[in-house]
Amino acid sequence: MRYLSTRAASSNTTGRKRFCEILLEGLAPDGGLYLPESYPQVDGATLAKWRGLSYADLAFEVLSLYIDDIPCADLKAICHKTYTPEVFGTEAIVPLRQLEPGLYLEALSNGPTLAFKDMAMQLLGNLFEYELARRGEELNILGATSGDTGSAAEYAMRGKKGVRVFMTSPKGRMSPFQQAQMFSLQDANIHNIAIAGVFDDCQDIVKAVSNDLEFKRKYRIGTVNSINWARLMAQVVYYFAGYFQATRSNTEQVSFAVPSGNFGNVCAGHVARMMGLPVRKLVVATNENDVLDEFFRTGMYRVRASADTHETSSPSMDISKASNFERFVFDLLGRDGAKVKNLFHDQLNDHAFFDLKDDAAFASAGVRYGFASGKSTHADRLDTLRDTFKRFDTMIDTHTADGVKVARAYMEAGVPMIVLETALPIKFAATIEEALGRMPDRPAKFEGIEALPKRVRELPADAVAIKRYIAENVH
Ligand SMILES: *Cc1c(COP(=O)(O)O)cnc(C)c1O
């Protein structure tokens, strides 16, 4: 299996890379995102074979279709080390539960940080450690977070050999629970940096440091953001696992509803569907930041300015643009890298939008690729939280509530609708309390974490200060 950039000319096959070459990389050098040359096809016989597998074995089967430069035995060991009941809470790893006939929740949020990002990040931690040891190299991960990504990265990389994490976050802006989760880590290789500024300042600093190529090379700076192919690939597995739990035979179809921000999660669903998983609809649920809903309704992809990006009660979906969306558009446009480059580089730089309304390909987003979309607001979120609690005695989080709200518009008789549960309610307690008049339950292992000693360095919103801090802490 080789990987190409979404902006590569289709005639250029020389620049294609193997999995371990792109594992530690972010964007492709031409600014595009990596995708496999083709999607491996999974037929009925293979689905039948996979149906009875444990999650770790299923992960190994899916991953080995995309990775041919790690020996099988090693890859299998990595999968088994990653997906354990000790880390994810149950034997099923991603248990499915029925809310009402035809409507299901797939639990992806029982990992160490209680959000679905653990599903991929825990694997990434083990893959990084393996590959860095093999190369005899080290990596310093520099990131910016407003909550879920940073904590998932830290819990995945803590104690890992060859890896350090430098995670910036806007001082005082994360929920107390999220701050406690991150800042209570005492591992020597984890560095929390609270920046006097907002999330955009953190992102600007990461960009500035990464653009200093000499510093980047000298200090072996890397990232773990959601455009990393390995993260997306890891997420493909739970679409298969959800399908097997919701159906009895491989002739049945299911639909998925996915609370979406950067389009990473639902893009993994697209990949699973392209591989042949019988998925009818992929329902993209957005909050008030409806960049993606607007596209799937109208064909217009319009990047929002910072001032037009709303702070909502499902904050992990507050995006101005969807960084993984380019992958889907590449497939939608028949894998025409030149066209993708024109849209995502030229048009977005010049106009901050592109419009596919009159492109014949746009019609196929729904018909051929199964995409549908909808938007959920704060009022919808509160209604859905209350309704789900009252009728099904189930407390969900605000992002999952957006998924449930939008899913209801696309339910069809005979087609199970699986909503991906992307976080547990305790992470967003204030809105749960607003909706239900009580605090969400807290898993026992998080009892009292706010009182634990905190390990965090406060720094000004200044790339020079961050570079100095990194230099002092890399030996
Ligand atoms: C990251 C996140 C999302 C959005 O996922 P994308 O892959 O960016 O679309 C949704 N819900 C929660 C809780 C998240 O942490």
Side-chain angles (χ1 to χ4, degrees):
M1 176 63 76
R2 292 288 193 280
Y3 291 85
L4 49 78
S5 161
T6 51
R7 297 186 189 179
S10 48
S11 55
N12 172 15
T13 53
T14 50
R16 300 193 177 174
K17 295 184 173 169
R18 301 179 78 178
F19 176 78
C20 287
E21 293 177 84
I22 65 165
L23 171 64
L24 303 169
E25 268 187 60
L27 290 174
D30 61 10
L33 284 71
Y34 287 112
L35 270 181
E37 277 180 330
S38 63
Y39 296 112
Q41 294 302 298
V42 173
D43 60 12
T46 309
L47 283 177
K49 208 175 76 196
W50 287 2
R51 188 172 271 279
L53 296 180
S54 70
Y55 194 90
D57 284 328
L58 179 63
F60 169 70
E61 293 294 335
V62 173
L63 266 48
S64 49
L65 298 175
Y66 290 100
I67 304 175
D68 55 13
D69 49 354
I70 295 178
C72 276
D74 293 355
L75 185 59
K76 196 163 203 165
I78 289 170
C79 291
H80 278 269
K81 180 175 165 190
T82 304
Y83 296 110
T84 67
E86 289 69 41
V87 175
F88 288 97
T90 58
E91 282 295 334
I93 308 294
V94 290
L96 197 72
R97 75 177 181 276
Q98 182 178 296
L99 281 182
E100 63 187 59
L103 185 62
Y104 299 84
L105 283 182
E106 184 175 355
L108 306 181
S109 308
N110 296 301
T113 73
L114 309 183
F116 84 99
K117 291 187 173 70
D118 291 329
M119 294 302 306
M121 211 70 96
Q122 288 287 314
L123 180 79
L124 205 65
N126 287 326
L127 284 171
F128 274 24
E129 185 172 57
Y130 174 87
E131 182 59 17
L132 288 168
R134 196 157 74 157
R135 297 185 189 184
E137 286 177 13
E138 287 189 354
L139 186 71
N140 294 302
I141 294 168
L142 175 63
T145 190
S146 53
D148 290 345
T149 308
S151 56
E154 292 188 353
Y155 279 77
M157 303 298 167
R158 63 187 295 199
K160 293 275 185 295
K161 287 190 265 322
V163 190
R164 289 181 202 87
V165 177
F166 295 87
M167 190 58 66
T168 62
S169 59
K171 185 178 170 220
R173 302 269 175 150
M174 292 190 293
S175 77
F177 185 85
Q178 286 176 317
Q179 290 186 42
Q181 261 188 329
M182 287 178 56
F183 299 168
S184 64
L185 287 180
Q186 298 298 328
D187 306 75
N189 70 329
I190 303 296
H191 299 271
N192 289 300
I193 305 173
I195 299 288
V198 295
F199 177 61
D200 280 341
D201 297 320
C202 300
Q203 266 188 320
D204 289 345
I205 288 171
V206 170
K207 252 184 233 156
V209 174
S210 302
N211 286 340
D212 180 343
L213 295 182
E214 197 190 320
F215 184 88
K216 191 178 172 193
R217 200 169 337 103
K218 179 163 181 210
Y219 290 101
R220 299 169 304 276
I221 302 293
T223 56
V224 287
N225 48 26
S226 80
I227 53 144
N228 182 294
W229 165 257
R231 279 182 64 182
L232 209 119
M233 178 191 64
Q235 294 175 175
V236 171
V237 179
Y238 55 69
Y239 284 86
F240 282 88
Y243 175 79
F244 291 135
Q245 292 178 82
T247 60
R248 292 229 175 80
S249 87
N250 301 327
T251 54
E252 293 170 64
Q253 284 190 317
V254 305
S255 291
F256 287 94
V258 187
S260 293
N262 275 317
F263 204 76
N265 198 351
V266 75
C267 194
H270 164 68
V271 172
R273 193 175 183 277
M274 296 298 280
M275 293 169 72
L277 187 69
V279 175
R280 186 167 162 77
K281 285 204 171 82
L282 288 167
V283 180
V284 178
T286 74
N287 63 18
E288 290 88 337
N289 298 292
D290 59 352
V291 183
L292 291 167
D293 180 42
E294 181 179 16
F295 173 78
F296 285 107
R297 276 187 299 106
T298 69
M300 169 73 92
Y301 181 70
R302 196 165 52 86
V303 173
R304 310 297 198 249
S306 296
D308 298 326
T309 307
H310 310 284
E311 261 186 57
T312 75
S313 46
S314 44
S316 299
M317 292 154 61
D318 292 350
I319 48 114
S320 56
K321 60 180 169 55
S323 47
N324 271 290
F325 184 55
E326 182 170 332
R327 286 195 161 103
F328 170 64
V329 173
F330 183 62
D331 285 342
L332 182 71
L333 299 178
R335 301 203 136 204
D336 182 339
K339 209 163 165 184
V340 169
K341 185 167 179 212
N342 175 264
L343 294 179
F344 281 88
H345 184 265
D346 307 334
Q347 300 242 30
L348 287 189
N349 278 353
D350 293 349
H351 309 293
F353 75 86
F354 60 75
D355 191 352
L356 295 183
K357 160 172 102 280
D358 298 323
D359 194 312
F362 173 63
S364 68
V367 180
R368 274 186 59 200
Y369 296 97
F371 275 97
S373 74
K375 161 181 171 174
S376 165
T377 64
H378 183 68
D380 293 324
R381 224 163 281 139
L382 295 181
D383 283 347
T384 307
L385 289 168
R386 287 186 192 118
D387 178 64
T388 309
F389 191 58
K390 197 166 123 216
R391 289 199 292 141
F392 314 124
D393 197 25
T394 300
M395 216 185 267
I396 56 177
D397 102 288
T398 52
H399 306 75
T400 309
D402 292 330
V404 170
K405 149 78 170 79
V406 175
R408 288 191 183 281
Y410 292 102
M411 286 176 65
E412 297 166 279
V415 184
M417 172 65 79
I418 302 174
V419 179
L420 300 186
E421 179 178 62
T422 55
L424 291 196
I426 185 66
K427 293 198 91 167
F428 305 96
T431 308
I432 308 301
E433 201 176 11
E434 181 185 349
L436 306 180
R438 53 163 283 189
M439 291 291 282
D441 300 327
R442 177 179 288 228
K445 63 180 171 184
F446 293 102
E447 237 21 279
I449 58 165
E450 288 90 340
L452 293 176
K454 294 191 170 48
R455 196 162 163 272
V456 55
R457 176 65 172 269
E458 292 182 12
L459 290 176
D462 172 11
V464 175
I466 309 302
K467 284 193 216 172
R468 194 178 312 125
Y469 181 77
I470 293 173
E472 284 165 11
N473 285 282
V474 169
H475 354 266

